[in-house]
Amino acid sequence: MKSTFLLLGALSALIGVGMGAFGAHGLKTIISPEMLTVYQTGVTYQMWHALGLIGIALIRQQAPDSKLLHWSGWLMFAGILLFSGSLYALALLNHTWLGMITPFGGVCFLAAWLLIAVSATPNIRSSDHYSRYK
């Protein structure tokens, strides 16, 4: 199975583990506890959404032509870059203006999950088609 989203999810998880280890071991004495919390939030969201990308890759095996799932994957990846990336940069560089980018990543995450939910609704409706209790 070749899948862009499986690849992006696996690489995002790999990088997330590395960033988490770097934060836990390399940044503890370098940045403030507040900024370390910001950094850890970036790691947490990256890891959850890396798993989300892997989930999208698996779901797309059942619906390979789904445009909703296609766009949800790209939005989730954009969310990782914008949300987690801006939090990493904010924590490491301490430039507060970088915090203005973070909500755009959050919106990408929300939109991605919404598209996954919407893509599931036709399956629910089509299963009702065969019900004698319509």
Side-chain angles (χ1 to χ4, degrees):
M1 167 182 96
K2 291 184 179 182
S3 169
T4 301
F5 297 126
L6 181 59
L7 174 65
L8 291 174
L11 290 174
S12 294
L14 172 74
I15 293 167
V17 170
M19 296 298 275
F22 176 65
H25 302 291
L27 293 179
K28 227 183 333 187
T29 59
I30 297 173
I31 63 176
S32 71
E34 289 172 344
M35 286 296 113
L36 189 57
T37 299
V38 168
Y39 184 91
Q40 290 170 336
T41 299
V43 172
T44 300
Y45 275 75
Q46 180 169 344
M47 290 304 297
W48 279 111
H49 290 88
L51 292 174
L53 281 169
I54 292 168
I56 290 168
L58 296 174
I59 295 166
R60 285 197 74 202
Q61 287 183 339
Q62 302 301 312
D65 298 326
S66 171
K67 297 289 184 203
L68 293 173
L69 291 173
H70 173 83
W71 283 107
S72 70
W74 286 114
L75 283 165
M76 198 165 288
F77 183 64
I80 290 170
L81 295 176
L82 293 171
F83 187 90
S84 295
S86 66
L87 291 181
Y88 296 146
L90 173 63
L92 295 171
L93 303 174
N94 205 20
H95 294 306
T96 55
W97 65 269
L98 288 165
M100 295 187 312
I101 298 169
T102 310
F104 292 104
V107 169
C108 288
F109 287 150
L110 291 169
W113 289 111
L114 177 63
L115 290 180
I116 293 169
V118 170
S119 76
T121 57
N123 294 335
I124 292 168
R125 279 192 231 119
S126 67
S127 67
D128 289 344
H129 180 270
Y130 299 105
S131 173
R132 66 181 197 178
Y133 302 107
K134 289 196 243 181

